[in-house]
Amino acid sequence: MLGLDSLAKKVFGTANDRKIRASMRTVEAVNALEPAMKALTDAQLRARTAEFRERLAQGATLDDILPEVFATVREAARRALGLRPFDVQIVGALVLHQGNIAEMKTGEGKTLVATLPVYLNALTGKGVHVVTVNDYLARRDTEWMGKVYHFLGMTTGVIVPGLDDNGRRAAYACDITYGTNNEFGFDYLRDNMKYRLEDMVQRGHHYGIVDEVDSILIDEARTPLIISGPIDDQSDLYVKIDEVIRELDDPAYYEIDEKQRTVTLSDEGNEVVEQKLIERGLLPEGGSLYDPTSITQVHHVNQALRAHRLFARDKDYIVKSDKVIIIDEFTGRMMEGRRYSEGLHQALEAKEGVTIQPENVTLASITFQNYFRLYRKLAGMTGTALTEADEFMSIYGLDVVEVPTNMPLIRVDDHDQVFRTVEEKLGAIVEAIQDGRARGQPILVGTTSIEKSEQLAARLKNLKVPHNVLNARYHEQEAQIIADAGVPGAVTIATNMAGRGTDIQLGGNVEMRVLDETKDIEDGERIAGIRARIEAELAEAKRQVIEAGGLWVIGTERHESRRVDNQLRGRSGRQGDPGRSTFYLSLQDDLMRIFGSDRLDSMLQRLGLEQGEAIIHPWVNKAIERAQGKVEARNFDIRKNLLKFDDVMNDQRKAIFEQRRDIMAAEDLFETVRDMRHAVIDELVARYIPKRAYADQWETGELEEAVQATLGLALPVRAWAEEEGVDDEQIRERLYEATDTAYAEKEAAIDAQNGAGTIRRIEKSLLLQILDQHWREHLVRLDHLRSVIGFRGYAQRDPLNEYKSEAFALFEGLLSQLRTDVTRQLGVLRPMTPEEIEERQRLIAEAQARMQARADAAMREKVEAEAVAQRPAPAVALGAGGGTATAELDAANPETWGKVGRNAPCPCGSGRKYKHCHGRLS
């Protein structure tokens, strides 16, 4: 079968080849229109936007006008940016328009590719979102690619932190909106916490393109977006438990599973922790961690244990400005504002001795998976997606298409070099760096943590090897460091990021150099001269680098994910440039150590591997790839499992958010409130007068009390029940009629007192407030349920199914409680009595008088201060001997000062305000 499969691929090509061949027909159609586009004036080219919109309004589809649109954008890019998209870029654009992921190698111009499908889909007027991995790229791409959109008459906006609601609303109203995944996701959650439709900022999710799609939809999808509010401060608890964990210095007290990243107390450790908690008053004498009342202590002990044994400073987080800041394990960037949940972040703060921020309770949350599935059409682009193609398809329904490079890839990828110890490996890396520098070859060294990047940097510093370090500590200089990384002999050490979003250009980056050298120059001719000089210098530098073999990428360790390794490799060999990549590994590396390096170590010793020697063989590469595949599969399972549980909540979230929008959009909620009231009556009657129960089994007294408490009406339910021939249905109907009549009277009285429509506004406000309160409480319950539902597995029951049924029951309870609370609140609502109106008016008048008095006093002080400031200097007469004879204002004599303002400078010359000096009240 394998032979036939290979033969079929040779004859018919792979599925990817067939997609690319089909796309080439569109490319030919676009190319055929190029002469006609070049003949148009700028104004005629811009006018095509209105023409395309008109054709869409008349029934044409986006696919009908696609070749013309792409040809128009290609010409606009050539005029606005001086860049003409290549044929393969047109292929990439088509892949994105079709709602797929375009895998395009680094340096192939993905940013420019996006302009074609973005413009095409923006013609519908429904808005297009372009999602980037950080704020710098969002701003840069808005300004850079915005030139193309503005040339064609389109508007662009950017969402960045610190923008207020009006700014966000304006940005979302643009044809094209750039921003990060976090900003888009949080705006969606915040919108669904608003109380008026006009306060919402987003206008739907029509079409989205995700840049670095693997980073956003896979790496960051492990943790959901959460908006939370603070709860009571428990700093003392975190500190005491941290002290307990610090004293667990014997490894026998806990068991670590590095593969699963879990740590648990052993039986012996459990006893020690219990004793120490009792000593600190955190458990009662004779208490146990197994007691139901000890759930909080157990939770925080487990989180503190994880903080100490699984999380490493400068790898998982850094400490900066009295804060613990998470480091993204895939990009190496600081994640400002992001915090671990469930007390883990507080445990890390206690561990590091920084100020402990209060723990938060969830107000709203969503996973990236479910947020991005809101888009009617979603697409993505990256240099590395094929290894995760199954995940993209199963979770997002996105197909991955590998777009060929414009120029053939000629980079040399060496086999991995495996050493026995880290020390031998580092020695070999330093030797390789020195060798490359001697030949004038620029070198990019990729490390997996800040700590390791700084260890290597220290070695190079000792050897006086010039180098730049790029990690979370120096991320502000990222663009500049990466721009210089292609200079002959440059050595750049990067942590897990290797300059995503900024190309490493051999010889150096012309634009960055020009920007740097002309930032204070306005003369156009001088700038042109400087540019010409820089271009000539860098052209010579590029020639030297190419002769030396191009950029050499050195990996100091294999990452858990092949994709991250491929991202690092992809920095070299862009646009047909020469390049080289080599990974240096040791058996003490985390990946090698966790996945069975013991056997390999003993085998290498038997083979007589000398110190400093490396084993280099394709089989080793295969073994490492298999280990990475195992980790990737495990991480996929984690994300898939997270999504299965979140899907349960997502259905409920959709229902609640849709309900909120309906409430906000409704002019009149009379029928909704009436239906809720009738449903509450149905529940009360069913509870106290069960179906098929005899009359003497009815609990009519309790029903009467419940009606009084819930509906706010004293009705003779007991007397009704004693009438001949009355059944539960008739009692229900009487309750309907009595409550409807009472509510209509109340509505008329309140509207007469406060103006027409008052009761409608009260209903809307009350409904939204009570709905939000119950939804927040429901999220907390689901969090607690999720944390314990796994134990159902011990009873041979599927935790997911158990979670679904329990969550559904909780949701039904939420809806029932919502109806009851809304009905109860509206039941106790009543118009104010004349006495209450009079008292309210008196209080309002008093408050207004106090405010007016404060305003008057402030105005008097201001006038007095201005009068003092404008008073002429004292006239001084000099005697014959030159001494002072008389003065209108004597600093030593307060009687000469007159009226001095409280906030004016004291005339005594002390420099203090009068009220703090001579005017101070004793």
Side-chain angles (χ1 to χ4, degrees):
M1 283 302 291
L2 283 173
L4 288 174
D5 187 42
S6 305
L7 182 64
K9 281 181 181 176
K10 280 185 179 178
V11 175
F12 302 108
T14 62
N16 194 83
D17 293 338
R18 292 195 291 276
K19 287 173 189 166
I20 298 300
R21 279 203 298 270
S23 302
M24 292 312 293
R25 288 194 288 274
T26 303
V27 174
E28 288 166 8
V30 173
N31 288 342
L33 293 165
E34 191 164 14
M37 293 299 110
K38 282 185 174 178
L40 297 177
T41 64
D42 287 358
Q44 288 172 325
L45 204 59
R46 189 173 294 111
R48 303 220 72 196
T49 299
E51 180 194 323
F52 291 139
R53 283 180 164 155
E54 178 62 28
R55 284 166 64 183
L56 289 173
Q58 291 173 358
T61 67
L62 292 179
D63 289 340
D64 292 338
I65 62 173
L66 186 147
E68 293 171 72
V69 169
F70 278 15
T72 301
V73 179
R74 174 188 262 180
E75 182 59 23
R78 192 180 66 78
R79 296 185 192 185
L81 300 175
L83 299 172
R84 177 192 176 277
F86 304 124
D87 288 359
V88 290
Q89 288 176 300
I90 301 290
V91 172
L94 189 59
V95 170
L96 293 177
H97 167 66
Q98 291 166 345
N100 294 317
I101 291 172
E103 176 173 296
M104 300 180 71
K105 301 296 180 222
T106 299
E108 290 295 304
K110 292 187 285 291
T111 310
L112 181 62
V113 167
T115 57
L116 291 97
V118 163
Y119 173 82
L120 173 61
N121 285 271
L123 289 169
T124 61
K126 296 175 182 175
V128 173
H129 295 172
V130 184
V131 188
T132 65
V133 288
N134 61 42
D135 301 321
Y136 161 73
L137 290 176
R139 286 192 184 95
R140 185 202 73 175
D141 293 354
T142 307
E143 293 171 12
W144 190 17
M145 296 300 123
K147 293 172 184 173
V148 178
Y149 304 129
H150 297 157
F151 185 89
L152 292 168
M154 289 259 183
T155 56
T156 58
V158 60
I159 306 293
V160 291
L163 208 58
D164 63 15
D165 276 3
N166 290 331
R168 288 174 186 272
R169 200 174 298 109
Y172 282 115
C174 292
D175 295 308
I176 299 125
T177 309
Y178 283 83
T180 65
N181 46 322
N182 289 339
E183 293 296 323
F184 284 122
F186 280 129
D187 280 343
Y188 171 73
L189 291 177
R190 282 191 288 261
D191 269 0
N192 286 287
M193 296 170 73
K194 299 279 173 62
Y195 285 92
R196 300 187 309 161
L197 281 176
E198 53 267 35
D199 290 338
M200 298 173 80
V201 298
Q202 290 188 342
R203 58 182 180 122
H205 300 82
H206 169 59
Y207 176 58
I209 291 182
V210 183
D211 192 10
E212 302 295 358
V213 67
D214 52 329
S215 175
I216 291 173
L217 296 193
I218 291 183
D219 298 340
E220 295 200 30
R222 290 195 202 179
T223 47
L225 288 173
I226 296 172
I227 291 179
S228 52
I231 58 174
D232 294 339
D233 187 15
Q234 295 179 295
S235 302
D236 192 45
L237 174 65
Y238 302 121
V239 171
K240 285 182 177 177
I241 287 180
D242 185 72
E243 290 170 0
V244 169
I245 299 304
R246 284 180 190 279
E247 293 173 16
L248 295 183
D249 48 8
D250 188 340
Y253 291 154
Y254 50 85
E255 296 165 4
I256 296 179
D257 183 340
E258 290 191 83
K259 287 185 184 180
Q260 301 299 326
R261 273 186 70 80
T262 59
V263 58
T264 52
L265 288 172
S266 62
D267 291 341
E268 189 181 349
N270 213 59
E271 291 173 15
V272 172
V273 167
E274 281 178 356
Q275 188 55 44
K276 292 185 183 298
L277 290 176
I278 290 168
E279 288 169 9
R280 287 169 172 78
L282 298 178
L283 273 183
E285 195 65 44
S288 166
L289 288 173
Y290 294 109
D291 293 339
T293 53
S294 304
I295 288 173
T296 300
Q297 289 88 331
V298 171
H299 173 73
H300 288 300
V301 164
N302 285 335
Q303 295 295 51
L305 194 59
R306 290 180 66 204
H308 276 273
R309 303 292 173 236
L310 295 179
F311 286 78
R313 182 169 175 165
D314 289 343
K315 180 182 177 186
D316 300 298
Y317 63 91
I318 65 170
V319 177
K320 182 181 178 185
S321 307
D322 195 40
K323 288 191 289 189
V324 170
I325 302 173
I326 302 170
I327 293 175
D328 186 328
E329 66 171 306
F330 293 96
T331 67
R333 290 190 174 91
M334 291 189 293
M335 301 169 77
E336 292 273 9
R338 292 285 287 274
R339 292 175 64 81
Y340 293 116
S341 58
E342 299 178 348
L344 176 58
H345 211 96
Q346 285 74 14
L348 288 168
E349 287 168 334
K351 170 188 171 184
E352 297 297 343
V354 302
T355 304
I356 298 174
Q357 305 296 326
E359 200 174 334
N360 291 328
V361 62
T362 301
L363 302 179
S365 75
I366 192 170
T367 59
F368 281 125
Q369 289 99 326
N370 278 319
Y371 172 72
F372 283 107
R373 292 197 297 192
L374 291 170
Y375 285 89
R376 292 188 187 90
K377 183 164 72 172
L378 184 67
M381 50 191 184
T382 181
T384 46
L386 275 177
T387 54
E388 317 292 344
D390 290 344
E391 181 165 355
F392 282 122
M393 179 51 74
S394 65
I395 291 179
Y396 302 98
L398 293 171
D399 198 6
V400 177
V401 179
E402 189 178 10
V403 179
T405 55
N406 184 48
M407 304 279 284
L409 183 67
I410 59 173
R411 183 185 66 232
V412 176
D413 294 329
D414 297 332
H415 292 309
D416 295 356
Q417 299 195 22
V418 183
F419 295 84
R420 284 187 56 208
T421 66
V422 171
E423 197 61 32
E424 293 172 57
K425 176 184 77 173
L426 289 175
I429 290 170
V430 169
E431 199 176 304
I433 290 171
Q434 289 175 313
D435 173 55
R437 279 201 79 242
R439 290 182 284 102
Q441 186 168 23
I443 299 166
L444 176 70
V445 186
T447 66
T448 56
S449 72
I450 293 177
E451 181 187 15
K452 287 170 182 171
S453 70
E454 291 179 348
Q455 281 175 2
L456 183 59
R459 281 180 175 249
L460 294 177
K461 190 175 180 182
N462 289 338
L463 293 168
K464 295 185 171 49
V465 176
H467 61 278
N468 282 317
V469 178
L470 180 58
N471 57 36
R473 292 193 200 282
Y474 311 107
H475 72 103
E476 293 89 352
Q477 296 94 34
E478 176 178 332
Q480 185 59 54
I481 292 173
I482 289 298
D484 294 338
V487 172
V491 178
T492 309
I493 302 173
T495 303
N496 280 2
M497 56 174 78
R500 288 164 87 95
T502 310
D503 283 340
I504 297 175
Q505 296 178 13
L506 300 189
N509 189 309
V510 172
E511 296 305 324
M512 293 291 277
R513 274 276 303 277
V514 170
L515 200 64
D516 187 49
E517 292 192 26
T518 61
K519 56 176 179 257
D520 299 321
I521 299 173
E522 294 182 6
D523 183 356
E525 286 187 19
R526 277 188 67 195
I527 291 173
I530 291 170
R531 174 181 285 275
R533 173 178 57 79
I534 290 172
E535 285 176 349
E537 286 176 10
L538 296 194
E540 174 57 25
K542 181 174 182 178
R543 188 191 62 75
Q544 292 174 23
V545 170
I546 288 173
E547 282 182 6
L551 179 68
W552 186 5
V553 167
I554 293 178
T556 61
E557 203 170 321
R558 280 286 192 174
H559 199 276
E560 284 186 353
S561 169
R562 287 170 292 173
R563 195 165 32 81
V564 180
D565 292 339
N566 291 341
Q567 284 166 4
L568 180 61
R569 271 202 164 120
R571 295 293 126 197
S572 175
R574 60 182 289 284
Q575 283 292 337
D577 288 338
R580 180 182 176 189
S581 72
T582 317
F583 278 85
Y584 290 80
L585 317 178
S586 88
L587 298 184
Q588 294 173 341
D589 294 348
D590 290 344
L591 186 76
M592 304 289 282
R593 183 172 48 77
I594 294 169
F595 287 92
S597 64
D598 291 344
R599 285 182 306 171
L600 192 55
D601 189 23
S602 58
M603 182 184 78
L604 293 181
Q605 285 184 24
R606 283 200 304 274
L607 291 172
L609 191 70
E610 296 290 333
Q611 185 166 349
E613 281 187 355
I615 180 170
I616 305 169
H617 199 283
W619 289 357
V620 175
N621 294 21
K622 291 288 182 190
I624 292 166
E625 282 197 11
R626 280 196 297 272
Q628 289 175 308
K630 286 180 190 174
V631 181
E632 287 165 6
R634 186 201 69 197
N635 290 339
F636 180 24
D637 285 341
I638 292 170
R639 291 188 291 270
K640 199 160 58 172
N641 201 42
L642 171 75
L643 187 61
K644 283 177 183 174
F645 280 89
D646 190 67
D647 279 345
V648 177
M649 189 198 290
N650 195 49
D651 293 337
Q652 299 178 3
R653 184 191 296 114
K654 281 181 181 173
I656 291 293
F657 286 0
E658 194 174 327
Q659 186 74 46
R660 285 187 96 262
R661 282 173 180 267
D662 290 346
I663 292 169
M664 287 191 288
E667 291 294 323
D668 188 337
L669 291 168
F670 170 76
E671 289 186 9
T672 303
V673 169
R674 186 195 61 200
D675 291 345
M676 284 184 164
R677 188 167 60 245
H678 288 186
V680 169
I681 291 170
D682 292 343
E683 288 173 7
L684 291 175
V685 172
R687 187 183 309 153
Y688 296 109
I689 308 178
K691 286 282 185 188
R692 292 186 293 279
Y694 294 109
D696 58 359
Q697 295 175 312
W698 291 1
E699 298 175 66
T700 51
E702 288 84 347
L703 176 58
E704 192 170 297
E705 290 172 10
V707 167
Q708 170 78 49
T710 309
L711 303 172
L713 292 176
L715 297 175
V717 178
R718 193 179 292 143
W720 292 346
E722 290 172 358
E723 293 177 17
E724 187 69 33
V726 171
D727 60 10
D728 62 324
E729 194 59 42
Q730 287 174 304
I731 290 176
R732 184 182 286 109
E733 289 298 330
R734 288 185 187 184
L735 286 172
Y736 286 168
E737 187 179 343
T739 53
D740 288 352
T741 302
Y743 195 78
E745 292 170 357
K746 183 187 297 186
E747 179 183 330
I750 289 174
D751 281 359
Q753 196 175 79
N754 300 278
T758 301
I759 194 76
R760 299 285 88 91
R761 292 194 294 275
I762 291 172
E763 288 167 348
K764 180 179 287 193
S765 176
L766 198 64
L767 248 172
L768 287 170
Q769 287 178 34
I770 295 175
L771 178 63
D772 287 349
Q773 177 195 337
H774 284 305
W775 177 241
R776 287 196 291 268
E777 291 170 0
H778 182 68
L779 288 176
V780 173
R781 289 194 198 98
L782 287 182
D783 277 347
H784 291 163
L785 175 64
R786 175 75 200 279
S787 67
V788 299
I789 203 72
F791 293 121
R792 302 281 178 94
Y794 293 121
Q796 305 301 311
R797 280 146 56 183
D798 180 13
L800 181 61
N801 287 336
E802 292 290 306
Y803 181 75
K804 283 179 180 176
S805 59
E806 294 267 1
F808 183 70
L810 285 171
F811 191 67
E812 282 194 320
L814 177 154
L815 296 177
S816 173
Q817 195 60 45
L818 173 69
R819 291 191 293 267
T820 302
D821 284 358
V822 169
T823 302
R824 182 184 290 117
Q825 293 277 6
L826 290 173
V828 299
L829 190 71
R830 59 178 176 77
M832 297 172 74
T833 63
E835 293 79 12
E836 287 170 333
I837 293 172
E838 189 178 328
E839 176 66 11
R840 186 180 72 164
Q841 288 172 342
R842 184 183 68 77
L843 291 172
I844 290 171
E846 285 180 3
Q848 287 174 339
R850 284 195 299 272
M851 289 171 64
Q852 188 61 47
R854 282 199 293 270
D856 291 345
M859 181 57 70
R860 276 198 305 274
E861 284 193 7
K862 184 180 177 187
V863 169
E864 288 167 359
E866 287 173 353
V868 170
Q870 292 169 9
R871 184 179 293 159
V876 179
L878 297 177
T884 304
T886 60
E888 288 182 10
L889 187 148
D890 184 357
N893 183 6
E895 290 181 7
T896 67
W897 297 352
K899 179 76 173 172
V900 182
R902 303 266 306 138
N903 286 312
C906 189
C908 76
S910 67
R912 295 195 294 264
K913 287 185 178 180
Y914 179 65
K915 65 183 180 183
H916 295 315
C917 192
H918 280 77
R920 186 170 57 219
L921 300 173
S922 54

